[in-house]
Amino acid sequence: MIPPGSQYVALGSSFAAGPGIAPIVDKPAGRSGANYAHLVAAELGLELTDVTYSGATTAHLLDTRQDDAPPQLDAVGPDTAFVTITAGGNDLEYVGTFIRGSILNTLAKPATLFGRRVANRIRARVSYLKDDAAYQAAADSLTTVVESVRERSPNARILLVDYLTLVGPSTRPRLDVPLNEEQLPSVAMMADGLADAFAKAAAASGAELIAASAASRDHAIGSPDPWTTGFTLRPPGILGGFVPYHPNAAGMRAVADLIVNHLRA
């Protein structure tokens, strides 16, 4: 268990930052004051430094500036007692691929007025699969992040927190998301590859693993109680718009509960 008052540093991309979940405490980062890090810190009485940033790759955690923000690892110091890490999806363009494919398929519908050839050209602009080397590179980068955290704070407890499931058993092609029967399984395969990268990194680095992907399988898009958003072309906050294919408030609460229960076990 992490003692109250301990220093907690949260690292990661948008699935940790929580864009679109009120209140937003850092607009450029898309960082929510109700993301899982804030919820965990409040429940356990930890002193939180949250440097999660939407769009971050593992390079932005390690050694690369993002906008005006320094590498996220700069927030980790000798007194850091607890670190959570959710990153790697942007290395694989996982959510970006899902969003681009959904946008192009949505735009292809009116394009059918100009003929199927035009519509198919629009749809063909997205590649949904990565090779094994890309997933291994993500695993290696996550391992390096853990090792770098440990160098800065040898006694810190480190949790790799993987991504909430977007596509699950309840997700219907064309109905719940604007991808067809061939495209949707490919997105699910990317998610499986990302989850496997986290598991490999945890095994290689000795970090603890919070498998949010497995815990949320029955809470994917199209389920009765989804923990992530679906798709929309409407901008967040306008006419019911939201950030597509990202954790919602219920999903962030669920991830926080997984972490707290793991720490208390």
Side-chain angles (χ1 to χ4, degrees):
M1 190 63 183
I2 309 296
S6 297
Q7 300 293 319
Y8 167 25
V9 175
L11 311 175
S13 61
S14 56
F15 267 55
I21 301 174
I24 296 298
V25 296
D26 187 315
K27 191 172 181 179
R31 188 182 305 134
S32 170
N35 62 19
Y36 75 68
H38 280 80
L39 298 175
V40 168
E43 186 152 348
L44 299 181
L46 305 179
E47 295 294 328
L48 173 65
T49 300
D50 184 358
V51 292
T52 58
Y53 207 108
S54 298
T57 65
T58 51
H60 293 124
L61 273 65
L62 288 166
D63 54 21
T64 303
R65 295 183 67 88
Q66 186 175 7
D67 298 333
D68 293 327
Q72 293 183 26
L73 271 170
D74 286 4
V76 178
D79 295 331
T80 301
F82 179 48
V83 178
T84 53
I85 302 165
T86 300
N90 291 318
D91 296 44
L92 297 165
E93 298 183 315
Y94 164 48
V95 175
T97 298
F98 200 179
I99 291 174
R100 286 195 300 275
S102 297
I103 291 173
L104 292 174
N105 279 9
T106 300
L107 295 177
K109 287 183 179 180
T112 56
L113 295 173
F114 301 97
R116 290 189 177 275
R117 182 175 297 178
V118 173
N120 288 336
R121 282 179 182 172
I122 292 174
R123 293 191 185 99
R125 292 177 185 171
V126 176
S127 174
Y128 292 91
L129 294 176
K130 299 289 182 181
D131 58 23
D132 291 343
Y135 295 111
Q136 186 60 54
D140 292 343
S141 292
L142 285 168
T143 300
T144 301
V145 172
V146 174
E147 292 171 344
S148 299
V149 168
R150 197 165 281 133
E151 287 176 3
R152 289 170 171 266
S153 184
N155 297 318
R157 189 167 180 181
I158 305 170
L159 267 62
L160 284 168
V161 184
D162 76 1
Y163 285 58
L164 287 168
T165 293
L166 293 168
V167 176
S170 301
T171 311
R172 300 168 297 175
R174 304 177 189 269
L175 297 175
D176 296 318
V177 295
L179 267 64
N180 63 34
E181 292 81 359
E182 294 180 357
Q183 296 164 334
L184 194 60
S186 298
V187 173
M189 288 174 63
M190 288 184 69
D192 290 343
L194 179 57
D196 187 56
F198 271 82
K200 287 181 177 178
S205 67
E208 299 168 67
L209 176 65
I210 302 295
S213 56
S216 59
R217 183 171 170 79
D218 291 331
H219 295 273
I221 299 165
S223 68
D225 180 24
W227 288 351
T228 57
T229 59
F231 180 73
T232 181
L233 288 175
R234 299 186 185 94
I238 299 175
L239 299 175
F242 49 83
V243 178
Y245 302 147
H246 276 79
N248 57 25
M252 280 298 183
R253 178 74 263 176
V255 175
D257 289 344
L258 289 172
I259 294 170
V260 170
N261 290 339
H262 177 82
L263 293 175
R264 286 177 172 167

